[in-house]
Amino acid sequence: MGNAVTHRNHPAPPDLQQGGFTATGRQQSHLAATEDCGGRPLRVTVLGADAGAFIASLVVGPRDGRRYDVRLHVRCVADTPVSAGIRVELALGASDDPGWLVPGAFYGENRPAACRVRYPRFTTDDPDPALLESAEWAFRADRTATPAVMAWDGEGGAALATTERSPVGQAGVGFALDGDRPLLRLHFPYREEPVVYDGSAQRLPADVPVHEWRPGEEVTPAFAVYLLGPDRHAYTDVLRDVHHRTASGDPEAAAWVPIEEAADLAAWGLYRWHYRPDPPVLLETAAFDRHALGERGDRQAMHVSWISGIPYAYALLRHGRRRGRADYVDAATAVLDHICANLTPAGTFWGQWTASGGWNVGWHPDRNRLHARTLGEATLFLLRAVVEAPGHDGWAAAVRSNLDVACRGQRADGALGSAYHCATGDVLDRTGTAGLAWVPALVEAAAAFGEPRYLDAARRAGRFYLDALREEFLYGAPEDVDLAPSSEDGYLAVLANVALLEADDDPVWVDAARRAADWTLTFRYTYDVDFDRHTLLGHYGFRSRGADQASPANQHLHSYGLICAPELRRLGERLGDDYYLASVRENLACFRQFVARRDGDFNAYRGMVSERFYQTACYQPKGMLLTLSHAWCIGVLLLACEDLLDA
């Protein structure tokens, strides 16, 4: 990254109201101290240069007492060029628990102390930047699903929201705790400090670009201030407002292909590039470059769920039956038979099959530990296969066997396991919310098998996990990020609580399903990231609105949200909530981009789908695409397409 940011002109939102106040100052680095926005003081600061080189003013337009649209005017009055950045800061009152939220990037403390994976964490207890710990953080805007930052004090909350690009380049968001007062920050251009996270456990030096100001140059970044009540779920009001204000009008505009064609492409890609008949598996990855890498570039492994396995075999089965493709049906059936014929001594699925070692627990270093999310998700979609194609007694028996282990380990308060011993089925851990994965399988099994005990177990589990939903912190779902909060935790919560709502129609599940959906959508991009036209994503015009950030630990865009698209669609229809319905449409339209339409399309083969779209400085340079096709990426696309085709 360079030290300078090129000046670019970006208009303020059209509904920005004029009128307000102007204040300037030249003491230290403070440019302007405003009266306030509804009792919350704003401050403008110059960074990296003498404040005397600038004059600033703020034009604040109150709208409804909740959102203030603000335009910042900054003019360079120096006689020679000046290198500097600008900070806007909103101060809250005293709080010992600000509940930080940077959508898609930061949630509360963000990393539980026990988490094995290292990524940015908030703490005031002797923070160590070498361990990616700090009491203040700043991030570039494209790390965020919505360029906003929120916090709460004893009276209520506030948010600052802006756009990815500003007149001085990429914008940024940040926060700090000043004594006991939370500070919300916007940066023009962005800053990343105290260290930079690039997806590895090693810190990188702070990245603090500046703008090269010409004498007389004036810029006008625009942003919004939101005032929130004490309910921390009020973040959804901000995100809904931003989503509505930035809607393009046509949620289908991003899609490359219609739904029917996307389903056909996905089914072919899953069958052609990921299915292997001996033994029958769906390989987790297949390399784009077949000539140079061939089989050596493919991951010779299959998880039973999550990144391969049962959900996607079920999708292929469903598509094959609808389209009359016996080859697809036979392949899907063989994969399901293979998994069901190889249960653990405890009676659950194994986590993963590998060509070199056969069946094992998956990616956890403890070789006895099975992850509940992997097992629960596999059980849910196998049950759906039982309903789709009756007569497979081995499938039904495997569903019952897994659910019986889950029920046997359920605690009196309803808690299910997050991990199980592969030999005994004993619960090894209940930390986090991965146990939610069992709930939709239990609900659907009660109906499919006519066994109320499963629904009773699901209800008790759902009530146990309500506290986590109300605390706005779900974590522990994916095997690869340990106890990090992630979008995948949200998907589990949507699947679980919509299932309970549809079974019971109880107001408690209405609230839980709403909370699950709203928290999940904090990870969903409300804007199209600005890619350099010379990058692959820029050249193809990739539109990121509707994609999800994987997690604060895995900062790339992914399509896994499609796994709960049917539930989110049904919830939106049930509640008459256009926000949910639009989000589903945008999610599916987004990932009908970059499904290869023919051999050679974006250097892939027909039907291939990548796992990672690099929208920020993490893992790879912004604008790149991971050149591996993933079974789950094809599979969730196929699942969502089949749902809408049926609906």
Side-chain angles (χ1 to χ4, degrees):
M1 302 175 186
N3 292 325
V5 178
T6 303
H7 176 88
R8 296 176 63 170
N9 290 316
H10 291 257
D15 57 356
L16 187 66
Q17 294 186 2
Q18 299 298 318
F21 50 82
T22 298
T24 61
R26 299 194 181 196
Q27 293 182 354
Q28 299 177 355
S29 58
H30 301 319
L31 278 172
T34 75
E35 296 175 5
D36 59 45
C37 280
R40 304 289 192 184
L42 273 172
R43 182 171 65 183
V44 180
T45 303
V46 63
L47 303 172
D50 181 0
F54 298 91
I55 293 177
S57 65
L58 283 161
V59 179
V60 181
R63 296 297 301 261
D64 56 10
R66 182 178 58 88
R67 187 187 79 219
Y68 296 80
D69 292 324
V70 185
R71 186 180 303 192
L72 167 63
H73 295 265
V74 181
R75 181 160 60 94
C76 178
V77 295
D79 295 329
T80 58
V82 178
S83 300
I86 301 296
R87 170 184 290 160
V88 175
E89 191 170 73
L90 184 75
L92 280 71
S95 174
D96 59 0
D97 180 19
W100 308 115
L101 176 59
V102 179
F106 217 97
Y107 294 78
E109 68 174 324
N110 205 42
R111 190 182 86 217
C115 185
R116 293 180 296 111
V117 177
R118 190 177 297 171
Y119 59 94
R121 177 174 184 247
F122 170 79
T123 181
T124 57
D125 184 15
D126 194 23
D128 184 350
L131 299 178
L132 299 176
E133 296 176 340
S134 179
E136 62 180 289
W137 285 96
F139 305 105
R140 47 190 290 156
D142 56 16
R143 291 194 193 276
T144 69
T146 297
V149 56
M150 309 178 208
W152 281 260
D153 60 22
E155 301 298 322
L160 294 178
T162 187
T163 53
E164 182 206 356
R165 301 295 304 184
S166 80
V168 293
Q170 172 97 210
V173 303
F175 59 81
L177 195 63
D178 181 15
D180 60 359
R181 299 191 68 188
L183 304 176
L184 304 181
R185 292 170 171 171
L186 299 177
H187 292 117
F188 308 104
Y190 76 89
R191 299 171 70 86
E192 295 225 290
E193 53 188 353
V195 295
V196 172
Y197 175 66
D198 71 344
S200 72
Q202 303 303 314
R203 63 174 178 171
L204 296 179
D207 179 24
V208 288
V210 292
H211 179 65
E212 302 297 326
W213 297 80
R214 302 184 305 273
E217 181 180 357
E218 183 171 357
V219 300
T220 56
F223 60 95
V225 177
Y226 291 83
L227 302 183
L228 309 175
D231 182 358
R232 297 194 176 189
H233 196 71
Y235 65 77
T236 190
D237 297 333
V238 177
L239 300 186
R240 285 168 178 262
D241 185 60
V242 172
H243 183 270
H244 175 73
R245 295 174 76 196
T246 56
S248 64
D250 182 7
E252 289 288 303
W256 290 1
V257 294
I259 292 173
E260 180 84 36
E261 184 179 351
D264 288 345
L265 289 169
W268 168 252
L270 199 58
Y271 177 76
R272 173 64 182 87
W273 305 114
H274 293 269
Y275 175 62
R276 298 290 186 273
D278 186 22
V281 296
L282 293 175
L283 293 186
E284 291 168 3
T285 70
F288 281 15
D289 195 333
R290 310 306 300 170
H291 176 73
L293 300 175
E295 293 287 320
R296 294 181 295 107
D298 303 337
R299 188 186 299 163
Q300 303 295 318
M302 175 184 70
H303 265 71
V304 299
S305 186
W306 183 38
I307 56 175
S308 188
I310 289 175
Y312 319 117
Y314 161 70
L316 189 61
L317 174 72
R318 187 173 171 184
H319 179 85
R321 286 167 59 86
R322 181 176 64 82
R323 298 286 280 161
R325 289 292 301 262
D327 50 348
Y328 291 175
V329 172
D330 290 346
T333 300
V335 171
L336 296 175
D337 285 343
H338 182 217
I339 294 172
C340 292
N342 291 277
L343 301 184
T344 66
T348 67
F349 298 119
W350 286 100
Q352 184 190 43
W353 169 91
T354 67
S356 60
W359 293 99
N360 64 78
V361 298
W363 286 356
H364 199 278
D366 181 347
R367 305 318 294 163
N368 292 310
R369 182 186 177 102
L370 291 160
H371 199 286
R373 182 275 184 87
T374 306
L375 303 182
E377 192 175 80
T379 304
L380 172 63
F381 285 93
L382 181 62
L383 176 60
R384 292 178 178 179
V386 169
V387 175
E388 173 75 27
H392 295 272
D393 293 342
W395 300 357
V399 169
R400 289 178 180 274
S401 183
N402 277 272
L403 292 181
D404 288 346
V405 170
C407 290
R408 187 170 66 246
Q410 187 171 28
R411 208 165 57 191
D413 62 1
L416 294 165
S418 294
Y420 295 82
H421 195 287
C422 65
T424 66
D426 292 341
V427 173
L428 297 179
D429 195 357
R430 299 184 196 271
T431 307
T433 54
L436 277 168
W438 292 113
V439 172
L442 288 164
V443 173
E444 294 187 23
F449 299 145
E451 297 195 27
R453 66 188 179 96
Y454 288 142
L455 182 56
D456 177 65
R459 288 175 178 140
R460 291 190 292 118
R463 291 184 184 276
F464 172 80
Y465 292 109
L466 285 176
D467 284 347
L469 275 173
R470 291 165 180 162
E471 291 168 3
E472 309 289 350
F473 195 76
L474 308 175
Y475 65 107
E479 290 184 27
D480 60 342
V481 295
D482 194 37
L483 299 180
S486 76
S487 58
E488 296 174 52
D489 292 281
Y491 310 149
L492 295 188
V494 170
L495 287 163
N497 288 288
V498 171
L500 287 164
L501 172 60
E502 292 175 337
D504 277 356
D505 198 23
D506 186 319
V508 72
W509 305 130
V510 175
D511 179 67
R514 277 195 178 278
R515 287 179 176 274
D518 292 339
W519 194 82
T520 299
L521 294 178
T522 65
F523 292 88
R524 188 150 297 173
Y525 271 58
T526 54
Y527 63 100
D528 291 323
V529 172
D530 184 32
F531 295 105
D532 188 286
R533 66 186 180 88
H534 295 295
T535 65
L536 185 71
L537 296 184
H539 178 78
Y540 277 85
F542 177 67
R543 298 174 68 168
S544 60
R545 184 177 171 109
D548 289 347
Q549 176 99 291
S551 71
N554 275 348
Q555 294 181 3
H556 61 82
L557 300 182
H558 77 169
S559 60
Y560 213 112
L562 292 171
I563 202 161
C564 66
E567 284 75 13
L568 188 56
R569 174 184 61 79
R570 298 199 304 271
L571 180 63
E573 291 171 349
R574 185 186 192 99
L575 302 178
D577 195 320
D578 290 337
Y579 174 56
Y580 297 154
L581 295 173
S583 295
V584 171
R585 290 192 294 269
E586 290 168 354
N587 191 211
L588 184 53
C590 178
F591 291 106
R592 282 163 26 231
Q593 302 173 98
F594 283 94
V595 51
R597 296 158 289 190
R598 61 192 67 85
D599 292 350
D601 198 1
F602 60 89
N603 221 37
Y605 283 79
R606 182 173 180 265
M608 286 186 168
V609 178
S610 176
E611 178 205 16
R612 292 184 176 188
F613 300 82
Y614 297 110
Q615 88 291 3
T616 190
C618 192
Y619 298 112
Q620 295 278 25
K622 179 177 179 177
M624 290 185 71
L625 179 77
L626 181 67
T627 55
L628 288 174
S629 179
H630 277 61
W632 72 260
C633 303
I634 301 176
V636 294
L637 175 62
L638 184 55
L639 284 168
C641 288
E642 290 298 316
D643 170 72
L644 275 185
L645 290 169
D646 281 351

